[in-house]
Amino acid sequence: STIVAVLVAPALAQSGQATFYSPYVPSSCYGFDTSKFPPGNLIAAASKDLFRNKALCGAYFEITCKGAVSGSGGCSRTPTVKVRVVDLCPGCHANSFDLSIEAFSRIAKLDVGRIKI
């Protein structure tokens, strides 16, 4: 008989920040191939510490808006979005993401610019 062990790691919630960017190509993960982008361009570029030299390419994250970095408010009524990592954000703070305009606008007002996540 064979014994198979399955390890399940709980999702880790970490604090960080999010901004938004465009254009989306070329991306560090897929170059000019947008066929790997999810519908609606719900994509993100991850900070260098998370990206780990392309190890995060294709990974999905749920990003939740916790409010504007400067001031209060800023989040939408539906403050969570699921995004796929397709790029590196070399200028992002640790544990942070640069979201597509489509993803950012689902969870926060664009004029806020930078949110806590």
Side-chain angles (χ1 to χ4, degrees):
S1 73
T2 303
I3 298 174
V4 177
V6 178
L7 300 176
V8 178
L12 298 176
Q14 294 184 333
S15 297
Q17 296 182 3
T19 53
F20 60 89
Y21 77 110
S22 74
Y24 311 137
V25 290
S27 73
S28 294
C29 297
Y30 307 116
F32 288 94
D33 181 5
T34 59
S35 69
K36 298 200 180 1
F37 290 12
N41 281 334
L42 298 180
I43 56 174
S47 58
K48 189 174 182 178
D49 63 308
L50 295 172
F51 194 68
R52 295 187 322 265
N53 196 28
K54 297 188 181 186
L56 221 60
C57 286
Y60 282 90
F61 283 83
E62 282 192 349
I63 307 292
T64 300
C65 178
K66 300 292 185 185
V69 168
S70 58
S72 61
C75 298
S76 70
R77 289 185 186 178
T78 311
T80 302
V81 66
K82 184 177 179 181
V83 295
R84 186 172 195 190
V85 174
V86 300
D87 213 347
L88 167 67
C89 178
C92 284
H93 295 91
N95 296 322
S96 296
F97 293 90
D98 215 359
L99 304 176
S100 64
I101 292 170
E102 294 86 345
F104 191 95
S105 65
R106 284 199 181 188
I107 62 172
K109 298 173 185 170
L110 289 177
D111 60 353
V112 171
R114 183 180 299 274
I115 56 172
K116 296 177 274 188
I117 57 171

